[in-house]
Amino acid sequence: MYILILILPLISSIFCGLYGRKLGYQGVKIFSCVLLMLTSLISFLCFFEVIILNSNIQFYLWSWFDLGLLYNNIQLQFDHIVCSMLILVTLVSFFVHLFSTSYMDGDPHLPRFMSYLSLFTFFMIILVTSNNLVQLFIGWEGVGLCSYLLIGFWYTRIQANKSAIKAMILNKVGDIGLLLGMVMIWYFIGSFDYNTIFSYSFFLSKENINLDLISFLLLIGVIGKSAQIGLHTWLPDAMEGPTPVSALIHAATMVTAGVFLIIRMSPFFENTPTILIVIVLLGSLTAFFTSSIGLTQNDLKKVIAYSTCSQLGYMVMICGFSQYNTGLFHLINHGFFKALLFLSAGSIIHALTDEQDFRKMGSMNLITPFSYICIVIGSISLMGLPFLTGFYSKDLIIELIYGEHYLRFALWLGVLSAFITAFYSFRLIHFTFFNNPQSNIKNFSHSHEGPWNLRLPLFLLLVFSIIIGYFLEYFILKDELPIIIENLNKFLPLIVSLIGSILSLILGFLLFKWWKLWMNSLNIKIYSFTNGAWYFDNVFNYYITSPIIKLGLSITYKLIDNQLLEFLGPTNVYNNFTKNSSKISNVHSGKLSIYVLLLIIFIFFSLIKF
């Protein structure tokens, strides 16, 4: 039965993609949603049997290749990590499918869209349930391909195509790092199986094998897929895709794959303490850096996208402290309230006929009251205020970091990021709901809440954003609960975090009330700097992309294409061949005397040789 968790999304993708016209417009909606609902129900059965009944399950499917030392089996593994992830992936995917039946209604390419969503889910389940790195890499590349297809779904839009290509290229940088790490693992260990890698890596660390290099290569894959600082620029541009795509990519699937890789390979990373410090530095800088960018964005979806980068920084950072269960806990909690934020934003954008700039909104709480409630609850959960889902994991991260005195910078960057998060969340709510209407009355005259299939996913995600953290805390963190309870006796970090968030809300209120007092030349420059995303794209374009293009032009085009290939290419070869063949054909004149002369010459040189 557990194999159905893979088969059902694949069937949905194949039938919606190839037979969508035969199923009909409504048939595609019903067919895909029913199969994804069944997939999520099976994930609950896995959760019950593995986590609640405390058992592990493995399925051997077939041997994919066996070339002596290089072999790999296709197997499914269901343990605590996998089943926790499956709850998030399948549930959010089902909600996104259901939401899309309303949001994308009227689009003539809806069958193709539903096919891509289901294929995305299929590859993510492959990634999560794998018991070896090769199988994980199949899912890893699969979600990268599907993200390209979904971001560029509206392929007639130039910006959507550019964003899809950018996401693909930047992810390929990370993919190369992961692939090189896999090659080195096979070279030193001789297997791609997780259990074998974990067993042998301990002995390799005693033999002075450079495990730090392997961990660093794996970390490059994490940086690309989970949008950490340096390779993060693709994530905000991915907002060019439809809003359900943003919810699926940024909440439950693609961006969490990098964090999942760290958690899955945690016994290996534990043998490389230097890389763990790098992970802490990387995660804390990402959390602060991207939250500062989200502070000055004006696109409703981009603010939420940068908050995703910031929260991914929290997850990576806490994994660097070897608190992998806490990282997984925050990953799952974040998936639910971030999906709620994206889909609620999509509901408002849909109501305003695709307007995404919240400076042109205002008073939307009167037009879309249910979406208003959802965004407020999602934002409060994102801030980590008691007692919503985000509070149980985000504040727990800060509390656990408090005890690590030798990495105090991570604590202050984490607290500062929480302060900024509360500020830009209030800014988003203020401009969207409490500000006076800022656009033409025509944009508001036909605005209204969506139908039931748009509101039902929001309601279910709203419930999960309130209660799921409380219920999952015991199942995911039960081994760490004594340590957590001991750390909770130190209330200082919790108080600092809460006070920081509350002060940020007050500061945000004062800023928007007396904004003219803040508008001096220095603040305008800071605003422009962070609004331009610290000019990372400009740096990449001028100092990396442009020199590589010029180098490629001079070497690849002018030297190789124009010189070498033209000289050795088919044109010159053909011309030389025809000229030489015509000269040789002169020998074949049909005269017997010439043939006798050639025979004598051949015999003469043969005798000289001997």
Side-chain angles (χ1 to χ4, degrees):
M1 181 186 65
Y2 294 106
I3 191 66
L4 291 176
I5 204 168
L6 270 179
I7 294 175
L8 293 178
L10 182 60
I11 291 174
S12 173
S13 177
I14 292 173
F15 276 80
C16 291
L18 299 180
Y19 306 104
R21 302 302 177 189
K22 294 183 179 179
L23 288 172
Y25 204 78
Q26 298 300 323
V28 166
K29 297 179 180 179
I30 297 171
F31 184 76
S32 60
C33 288
V34 167
L35 290 185
L36 266 296
M37 183 179 67
L38 292 175
T39 304
S40 59
L41 291 176
I42 295 172
S43 70
F44 274 104
L45 292 177
C46 296
F47 185 87
F48 177 79
E49 184 167 349
V50 173
I51 295 182
I52 296 180
L53 298 182
N54 198 23
S55 64
N56 286 345
I57 302 171
Q58 282 198 0
F59 286 104
Y60 172 82
L61 298 180
W62 69 83
S63 177
W64 186 19
F65 55 83
D66 190 350
L67 306 174
L69 293 177
L70 183 61
Y71 68 92
N72 196 77
N73 297 327
I74 299 297
Q75 287 182 262
L76 301 182
Q77 175 175 309
F78 296 89
D79 55 18
H80 284 59
I81 299 174
V82 172
C83 292
S84 301
M85 285 291 295
L86 285 178
I87 291 290
L88 172 66
V89 171
T90 57
L91 268 180
V92 172
S93 180
F94 167 61
F95 295 151
V96 168
H97 276 74
L98 184 59
F99 183 89
S100 300
T101 59
S102 172
Y103 189 88
M104 300 295 290
D105 193 29
D107 193 304
H109 301 289
L110 177 68
R112 178 166 61 91
F113 184 75
M114 303 302 283
S115 175
Y116 289 166
L117 288 181
S118 298
L119 187 64
F120 202 120
T121 308
F122 167 73
F123 279 120
M124 191 64 193
I125 294 175
I126 285 182
L127 189 155
V128 169
T129 57
S130 63
N131 83 322
N132 58 78
L133 284 173
V134 174
Q135 196 172 329
L136 177 139
F137 193 71
I138 295 172
W140 188 278
E141 289 297 299
V143 294
L145 169 65
C146 292
S147 70
Y148 169 79
L149 297 173
L150 286 167
I151 294 169
F153 175 74
W154 288 319
Y155 53 84
T156 55
R157 295 175 56 193
I158 295 177
Q159 194 59 41
N161 281 323
K162 289 166 62 178
S163 299
I165 293 171
K166 184 178 182 180
M168 177 66 80
I169 291 173
L170 287 177
N171 273 276
K172 286 302 153 198
V173 176
D175 296 350
I176 291 171
L178 175 59
L179 191 59
L180 291 174
M182 290 170 56
V183 171
M184 291 191 67
I185 285 175
W186 179 79
Y187 179 79
F188 287 113
I189 297 177
S191 175
F192 295 111
D193 182 78
Y194 292 143
N195 294 329
T196 306
I197 293 170
F198 301 155
S199 301
Y200 276 85
S201 60
F202 174 77
F203 297 102
L204 288 177
S205 63
K206 303 298 182 183
E207 298 175 7
N208 295 322
I209 301 296
N210 194 355
L211 296 184
D212 286 342
L213 178 59
I214 302 176
S215 294
F216 182 72
L217 290 171
L218 296 179
L219 183 59
I220 293 175
V222 174
I223 294 171
K225 195 67 75 176
S226 287
Q228 298 299 288
I229 185 171
L231 295 177
H232 67 283
T233 55
W234 69 268
L235 195 62
D237 289 0
M239 297 298 100
E240 293 297 327
T243 302
V245 174
S246 305
L248 194 62
I249 291 177
H250 295 75
T253 54
M254 184 172 171
V255 294
T256 62
V259 181
F260 174 79
L261 177 63
I262 296 179
I263 297 170
R264 182 80 279 177
M265 295 291 290
S266 55
F268 187 86
F269 279 101
E270 281 300 297
N271 294 317
T272 57
T274 304
I275 301 300
L276 290 178
I277 296 177
V278 175
I279 290 174
V280 172
L281 178 64
L282 180 73
S284 57
L285 286 176
T286 302
F288 167 72
F289 162 75
T290 52
S291 62
S292 68
I293 298 176
L295 192 62
T296 54
Q297 298 302 306
N298 301 310
D299 188 306
L300 186 62
K301 288 167 64 176
K302 280 194 175 182
V303 173
I304 305 174
Y306 277 112
S307 76
T308 300
C309 292
S310 181
Q311 298 306 305
L312 288 169
Y314 276 102
M315 300 172 207
V316 171
M317 175 175 61
I318 197 62
C319 288
F321 288 104
S322 301
Q323 298 288 345
Y324 302 102
N325 279 10
T326 306
L328 177 65
F329 185 38
H330 189 52
L331 188 157
I332 296 172
N333 289 349
H334 169 264
F336 285 108
F337 65 73
K338 189 51 61 71
L340 174 66
L341 281 171
F342 268 115
L343 294 185
S344 304
S347 174
I348 293 172
I349 293 167
H350 192 61
L352 292 174
T353 60
D354 299 330
E355 178 59 63
Q356 295 185 195
D357 191 336
F358 55 60
R359 293 174 301 178
K360 298 179 181 179
M361 299 179 186
S363 300
M364 290 302 296
N365 56 324
L366 305 177
I367 302 171
T368 55
F370 182 66
S371 300
Y372 160 67
I373 295 172
C374 292
I375 283 193
V376 169
I377 295 297
S379 298
I380 294 175
S381 187
L382 175 64
M383 296 176 200
L385 297 181
F387 286 94
L388 277 74
T389 290
F391 168 78
Y392 294 100
S393 55
K394 183 179 176 180
D395 283 66
L396 177 60
I397 289 174
I398 296 174
E399 290 156 17
L400 291 174
I401 296 173
Y402 178 76
E404 305 293 340
H405 300 286
Y406 65 97
L407 291 174
R408 183 64 70 182
F409 70 90
L411 172 65
W412 294 113
L413 285 177
V415 171
L416 187 58
S417 301
F419 177 85
I420 298 174
T421 299
F423 190 95
Y424 67 66
S425 297
F426 177 81
R427 178 173 178 263
L428 183 149
I429 294 171
H430 169 80
F431 275 106
T432 308
F433 300 108
F434 298 141
N435 203 18
N436 294 325
Q438 300 295 313
S439 187
N440 196 306
I441 192 172
K442 292 182 180 179
N443 295 342
F444 295 95
S445 57
H446 301 291
S447 302
H448 58 84
E449 293 279 10
W452 70 269
N453 50 342
L454 189 141
R455 284 178 290 173
L456 180 59
L458 296 182
F459 174 75
L460 295 174
L461 285 169
L462 178 67
V463 174
F464 280 111
S465 297
I466 296 173
I467 66 171
I468 195 69
Y470 177 79
F471 287 103
L472 287 181
E473 186 174 29
Y474 171 76
F475 295 114
I476 298 180
L477 301 178
K478 58 183 177 182
D479 295 332
E480 285 83 5
L481 278 178
I483 302 174
I484 292 171
I485 293 172
E486 181 180 349
N487 283 335
L488 287 178
N489 292 329
K490 305 170 183 178
F491 287 108
L492 179 61
L494 176 63
I495 294 173
V496 169
S497 177
L498 289 177
I499 290 177
S501 298
I502 295 170
L503 285 177
S504 181
L505 292 175
I506 297 172
L507 181 63
F509 174 77
L510 296 176
L511 175 64
F512 294 122
K513 189 172 182 180
W514 295 297
W515 62 273
K516 290 183 179 179
L517 299 176
W518 298 78
M519 287 296 103
N520 55 47
S521 58
L522 177 62
N523 288 337
I524 290 174
K525 290 179 181 179
I526 295 173
Y527 178 92
S528 300
F529 183 69
T530 55
N531 182 260
W534 289 33
Y535 301 119
F536 256 78
D537 282 326
N538 301 68
V539 172
F540 285 160
N541 289 336
Y542 287 111
Y543 296 105
I544 298 177
T545 307
S546 182
I548 289 176
I549 290 175
K550 291 179 181 178
L551 184 66
L553 177 66
S554 59
I555 293 179
T556 305
Y557 177 69
K558 292 183 178 179
L559 177 62
I560 298 177
D561 286 355
N562 274 5
Q563 304 297 323
L564 296 178
L565 293 183
E566 286 289 336
F567 178 74
L568 301 174
T571 304
N572 285 336
V573 171
Y574 176 75
N575 292 335
N576 292 331
F577 180 77
T578 53
K579 289 178 182 178
N580 293 330
S581 62
S582 64
K583 292 179 181 178
I584 295 173
S585 66
N586 293 332
V587 178
H588 298 281
S589 61
K591 293 182 180 181
L592 183 61
S593 57
I594 294 177
Y595 294 152
V596 171
L597 178 62
L598 291 174
L599 180 60
I600 292 171
I601 293 172
F602 176 75
I603 293 173
F604 176 75
F605 281 105
S606 298
L607 291 175
I608 291 176
K609 183 179 180 181
F610 286 107

